[in-house]
Amino acid sequence: MKFENSLTFARQLDRQNSLKSFRKQFHLPKVKGKTAIYFTGNSLGLQPKSVKNSIAQELNDWAALGVEGHTYAKRPWLYYHKFSKKALARLVGAKPIEVVGMNQLTVNLHLMMATFYQPTKKRFKIITEAGAFSSDQYAFESQLKFHGIDPSEGLIELKPRAGEFTLRTEDISQSIHDHRNELALVIFGAVQYYSGQFFNLKEITKAGHAAGGYVGFDLAHAMGNVSMSLHAHGVDFAVWCGYKYLNSGPGGIAGAFVHEKHATNFALPRLAGWWGHDEKARFQMKKGFNPMHGVDGWQLSNFPVLSGAAQLASLELFEKAGIKNLRKKSVQLTNYFEYLLTSIDGHAEYFSIITPNNAKDRGCQLSILMKKNGRKVFNQLTKNGVIADWREPDVIRVAPVPMYNTFEEVFIFCEIFRKAMK
Ligand SMILES: *Cc1c(COP(=O)(O)O)cnc(C)c1O
């Protein structure tokens, strides 16, 4: 499509968009009494209006039923983890037996590594992208130390080529191949939180398996943002959080994917809890852990129902909108954003976009590397009602979310940004 640099054109794109009605389903934050331009759905997704009633349902059932709510609540709490499976499965491209909502992201990362990172004398290396999110770095480092391995030997962090900001797929595959004799695990952030690069999950998985390792992904910035096919690619495991693009609320329930090929492999080591035990025998409280089939067998604790209720309300919107439709709008929205930014006179002097410029290699986020006055420009954005994200020393991350952001907002952002720069 040929874009035009005008408010009229932006509004026209909004009018023509089949998902435009979803914005009304969300509470939009205000700055000084005016609806903010909220481009931080990559950090905390907005609240669907339906969340309140969904949580109220559980509060009412708790009030009326007490412990009996486990069985007699409208959505019986005992089976709560099952209610989100279909929607979660669709988001990652999986079967329901492969996905479950549980815990928090970093906890799930450790749980998955307890299973899929089993270093031996010969195979002990973890390969990841350089500059991974801090929590992931700490998880990798501590897992290595936990197994008595020096992180400087065991952790391979892949950096972009000199002068480049993102990794090339062929370089990733080559590095994985180069470490094939010592490789235990490949783990990448599916969408890199800083650069916004959407890695080629299929190729990375292929390379990791060819090199004899397991392959997992952190979907924190991918879940609800891009469409995925984890099952088809044969990815071993993945983890995500619920509060970013999934709009499940602050500290909202996270989740995990374990491929069906591992569903009944009970020889895999794992850390266990009663919620992972065969549900028919769970309340017999007997000795001897007998895991559920599939990822359910990795559950530890009983389900956080209030947090899950918020997530169910949000997932209903994803089911209605469809991740493929969301992605389609997202590609157009971010392409338009990029077009407007690069139409600014003399833009190269002020900033460069470090996110890949090919839609298939990114999600909705653009990371703008400021070459001068970065912090000042960012403060101007804030002053003018934009909620965006500043990363030291010089990057502004903006994420127009297809579920609730508009082409008009993208246009207005660029106007504010252009004026702030000059
Ligand atoms: C947001 C994010 C986290 C946060 O971890 P929590 O356990 O949810 O606090 C971790 N890793 C990545 C890649 C993230 O983007």
Side-chain angles (χ1 to χ4, degrees), residues 77-136:
W77 304 331
L78 272 180
Y79 307 112
Y80 222 88
H81 67 280
K82 299 189 182 187
F83 305 142
S84 54
K85 270 182 183 283
K86 229 173 74 191
L88 293 173
R90 232 190 291 280
L91 289 174
V92 300
K95 299 184 176 181
I97 194 177
E98 295 174 315
V99 294
V100 74
M102 60 180 187
N103 311 313
Q104 290 294 356
L105 186 154
T106 309
V107 174
N108 290 337
L109 184 54
H110 276 298
L111 282 180
M112 290 295 119
M113 288 182 79
T115 294
F116 294 103
Y117 180 57
Q118 292 295 324
T120 61
K121 263 225 135 39
K122 189 161 170 281
R123 286 190 173 276
F124 59 94
K125 287 188 177 168
I126 300 172
I127 296 189
T128 188
E129 86 267 18
F133 194 93
S134 59
S135 199
D136 301 51

Side-chain angles (χ1 to χ4, degrees), residues 348-403:
E349 187 192 325
Y350 288 95
F351 65 87
S352 53
I353 299 171
I354 62 172
T355 308
N357 56 18
N358 196 332
K360 75 171 182 20
D361 299 323
R362 67 186 182 203
C364 72
Q365 172 185 322
L366 291 180
S367 304
I368 306 168
L369 175 73
M370 301 301 293
K371 295 182 185 166
K372 51 183 174 192
N373 301 337
R375 186 74 224 193
K376 273 193 195 147
V377 170
F378 183 77
N379 292 343
Q380 275 306 108
L381 292 172
T382 308
K383 245 192 176 151
N384 284 282
V386 173
I387 304 181
D389 176 84
W390 173 256
R391 291 284 127 178
E392 291 295 344
D394 50 14
V395 165
I396 298 173
R397 296 187 309 162
V398 276
V401 171
M403 188 78 96

Side-chain angles (χ1 to χ4, degrees), residues 157-210:
E157 299 175 290
L158 305 185
K159 288 198 182 72
R161 294 184 189 188
E164 298 185 9
F165 294 104
T166 50
L167 282 159
R168 300 189 193 188
T169 304
E170 69 262 31
D171 289 355
I172 298 173
S173 298
Q174 185 62 48
S175 301
I176 292 172
H177 179 75
D178 292 344
H179 291 280
R180 65 192 175 282
N181 294 324
E182 295 160 329
L183 180 73
L185 175 66
V186 175
I187 173 133
F188 270 68
V191 173
Q192 223 284 336
Y193 88 98
Y194 188 81
S195 69
Q197 178 174 18
F198 180 20
F199 291 111
N200 188 326
L201 308 191
K202 185 178 176 186
E203 289 305 316
I204 292 176
T205 305
K206 215 167 86 184
H209 286 161

Side-chain angles (χ1 to χ4, degrees), residues 23 25-30 35-49 51 242-250 310 314 317-318 387 401 403-405 409:
R23 178 174 169 87
Q25 313 278 338
F26 286 83
H27 291 290
L28 305 168
K30 297 203 155 137
T35 301
I37 295 182
Y38 192 82
F39 281 169
T40 39
N42 57 350
S43 187
L44 184 74
L46 291 181
Q47 183 188 145
K49 289 176 179 165
V51 159
Y243 49 82
K244 291 176 180 163
Y245 296 104
L246 276 196
N247 309 323
S248 309
S314 173
L317 296 175
F318 276 96
I387 304 181
V401 171
M403 188 78 96
Y404 47 75
N405 285 127
E409 286 178 301

